Amino acid sequence: MDKDYAAIERLKRVVEKLRDKDGCPWDRVQTHDSLKPTVIEEAAEVICGINILSKKGDPENLKEELGDLLLQVMFHCVIAEEEGLFTFDEVADTISEKMIRRHPHVFSGVTYASDEERHKSWEEIKKVEKAGKEWQEAYLASAMNEAAELIDVAKKRKGFS
């Protein structure tokens, strides 16, 4: 088995064990909704890790925080798999396909005359992808507000406000 793939499989097994009947009581009861605060807090901690890397040149915090964020992704994927919705592999395949589709200049030999033309193509590809899903955009503003509220809660919990 490829070493990188083995690491992902190991993480998946860890999360599955945490959620198993003999696993951790806290992890076992988590849901997509209950994990929202953790996802937003871990994303903020990744930003902290990036800032430490930029200011101090130390990558260790970023490595740790990216792992914590990856744990959140895997947690949601394991829950979704338990619910029969989708798997981690499907999530990874979906983002790979999206990036390949949105970068024809990298993956399909398309040549653009300018950065502006490449950006226009990116926007057109996104428009085609979103066709028929325009209603999803209506949820974004409330999600941003919810994320801001969750950041405020995290700040209080960490003693920053």
Side-chain angles (χ1 to χ4, degrees):
M1 178 181 287
D2 183 279
K3 184 184 180 309
D4 293 330
Y5 188 71
I8 291 294
E9 280 300 310
R10 180 176 182 221
L11 177 59
K12 184 173 188 267
R13 285 192 308 270
V14 166
V15 173
E16 289 170 340
K17 178 66 177 168
L18 290 170
R19 289 187 55 80
D20 190 80
K21 62 180 172 60
D22 297 324
C24 174
W26 184 88
D27 292 298
R28 214 173 28 245
V29 299
Q30 296 311 303
T31 66
H32 295 297
D33 284 323
S34 72
L35 289 171
K36 286 179 184 180
T38 314
V39 170
I40 201 77
E41 188 172 319
E42 295 301 349
E45 290 176 2
V46 167
I47 292 169
C48 177
I50 293 168
N51 293 344
I52 290 169
L53 177 62
S54 295
K55 302 269 191 278
K56 302 287 187 186
D58 184 349
E60 288 304 309
N61 185 261
L62 178 57
K63 179 174 68 176
E64 178 182 343
E65 298 306 340
L66 285 170
D68 291 346
L69 190 58
L70 180 58
L71 173 65
Q72 294 303 305
V73 171
M74 185 61 78
F75 226 113
H76 283 277
C77 290
V78 167
I79 291 169
E81 189 170 347
E82 291 168 356
E83 296 171 344
L85 302 175
F86 54 81
T87 66
F88 178 86
D89 286 348
E90 291 172 314
V91 170
D93 285 342
T94 298
I95 191 59
S96 294
E97 290 166 10
K98 181 191 288 186
M99 290 301 98
I100 291 167
R101 195 171 47 250
R102 289 188 183 180
H103 292 85
H105 56 290
V106 175
F107 297 101
S108 299
V110 173
T111 304
Y112 296 109
S114 65
D115 287 342
E116 181 181 315
E117 188 179 307
R118 185 172 55 248
H119 180 73
K120 184 177 178 183
S121 172
W122 173 279
E123 290 300 323
E124 189 58 36
I125 292 166
K126 279 178 61 175
K127 184 178 176 184
V128 169
E129 290 172 351
K130 302 292 182 184
K133 301 177 186 174
E134 291 82 3
W135 60 270
Q136 293 175 351
E137 188 72 21
Y139 287 85
L140 187 56
S142 64
M144 292 287 191
N145 291 335
E146 184 177 3
E149 291 167 10
L150 290 169
I151 286 287
D152 288 341
V153 169
K155 286 163 113 177
K156 288 177 187 160
R157 195 176 70 71
K158 298 262 187 183
F160 296 123
S161 33

